[in-house]
Amino acid sequence: MSGSVSDTATPSLRGARVLEAVLPAVVALGLAAVLGDLLILSFGESPAAVWALLVKGTWGNAYGIGQVLYKATTLTCTGLAFAVAGRAGLFNVGAEGQLAAGGFGAAVVGLVLPAATPAVVAVPLCVGAAMLVGGATGAVPGALRARFGASEVIVTIMLNFIVLALLNWIVSAKLHLPETLRTPDIAAGTVPRLADAFPMFRGSAVNFTLLLALGAAAVSWWYLFRTQRGYELRAVGLQPDAAEYGGVRVPRVWLVSLVVSGALAGLGGVNFVLGYKGYYEEGFAGGAGFLGIAVALVGRNHPFGILAAALLFATLSQGGLAVNAVVPKQLTDILTAAVILSVATAVPEVQQQIRAAAASVTASLARRDPSGATRAGA
């Protein structure tokens, strides 16, 4: 009888988990939409007209879709970077510096390679350099945490300033074009634009780095949820003392997770340096490393959730340009903040309600006899 109860209860528990993953984001979007309506009304405009303009300027034409996908590519990489560290119980605030370091590594290799280097050789070398340099940047806080127990939050925050200042000095002193803050154009290793294969995207910045980001999300999911190392990483994030008692080398997990985190952030630098501009430019990250934290939180630190969250934030970013003629584009910045705050405040309450409902259903099923009679008086 207990087996039948367990079999019957399992679908309800699975449904509760799905609701826990989806409903908080829906609540956050609903709250942000209400706030957006109020802000639009304060400017004397029609909310329906502004939202329609935002959708038309993003998903209503090929150029807008391309721009959304371009911005989502970088956010996917930085979101995955935060999520991998987050699953290990670490808070990586250094994706901004790791993103810039990865882009710089890709640019240097692209400058060093001869212009005649075949793309099948040059592109993997440049992408590998981006991930290697990003991973090396992540290894610094990882090693300090593993060896000395140093707070990765403080180390990664400080390392952002050090890395960005160092890269800016190298570019300005050694590699810059006269009267610019960028390197010369990369000779080999650039990633083709998506418009080369699909002309409808002509003019947009989206490029085939998008496929690398999708691949990174798939590999991250497989690593986290289908491998022993991923299981150990998640176990350390949930309870490091219990994981260590079970034989997991916790310092090693911390180091590996931050190296992988940095490599994923470094991959995001490929999108701008190899896929868009074709050179490294000071300040190209533009806050994408920090916004990746919000992407990961809204996506619940799950690779596929991060893909959806990256599209959301990229839509808001591009939508701000689309509605700028009607309302200030800063409106979308406010909506972005509203989504983040809504997730931070509404999610615990929603999860509590879902768990309570699931527990009630499970308890009701457990009291029911397979023949249909209750066991209350048994």
Side-chain angles (χ1 to χ4, degrees), residues 132-378:
L132 180 63
V133 177
T137 307
V140 175
L144 292 175
R145 175 62 189 266
R147 181 65 180 86
F148 303 106
S151 169
E152 76 283 354
V153 177
I154 296 175
V155 175
T156 52
I157 288 177
M158 294 297 101
L159 199 60
N160 280 331
F161 295 101
I162 296 173
V163 169
L164 293 174
L166 177 62
L167 295 180
N168 292 344
W169 175 78
I170 294 175
V171 171
S172 62
K174 305 294 183 181
L175 296 176
H176 77 288
L177 288 176
E179 300 182 1
T180 71
L181 294 174
R182 72 174 184 89
T183 66
D185 290 342
I186 294 171
T190 55
V191 177
R193 296 278 185 96
L194 212 58
D196 295 341
F198 305 98
M200 63 180 182
F201 290 114
R202 192 176 309 279
S204 67
V206 63
N207 56 82
F208 281 95
T209 308
L210 172 66
L211 299 182
L212 296 178
L214 293 174
V219 172
S220 297
W221 171 83
W222 175 81
Y223 176 76
L224 288 172
F225 300 104
R226 289 296 182 269
T227 67
Q228 180 180 346
R229 296 299 186 188
Y231 176 81
E232 292 176 353
L233 185 149
R234 290 183 290 120
V236 170
L238 292 173
Q239 183 50 263
D241 293 335
E244 188 172 27
Y245 182 78
V248 178
R249 296 170 58 188
V250 174
R252 181 190 64 81
V253 171
W254 285 336
L255 175 59
V256 170
S257 65
L258 281 172
V259 169
V260 173
S261 177
L264 289 168
L267 178 63
V270 172
N271 192 38
F272 179 90
V273 175
L274 300 183
Y276 178 32
K277 290 293 188 178
Y279 53 77
Y280 175 89
E281 185 176 32
E282 179 181 335
F284 84 87
F290 296 116
L291 189 55
I293 298 175
V295 169
L297 293 177
V298 173
R300 309 298 303 281
N301 278 352
H302 192 287
F304 299 148
I306 287 169
L307 290 176
L311 287 174
L312 168 64
F313 284 110
T315 299
L316 290 176
S317 176
Q318 182 65 21
L321 302 176
V323 301
N324 190 39
V326 180
V327 295
K329 67 182 182 67
Q330 285 77 12
L331 171 68
T332 56
D333 295 332
I334 297 174
L335 293 181
T336 299
V339 171
I340 299 170
L341 292 175
S342 298
V343 169
T345 56
V347 166
E349 299 299 327
V350 174
Q351 289 180 344
Q352 184 179 3
Q353 295 295 326
I354 293 173
R355 290 194 182 103
S360 176
V361 171
T362 303
S364 176
L365 291 172
R367 290 194 301 268
R368 183 176 300 171
D369 188 85
S371 62
T374 65
R375 295 178 50 85

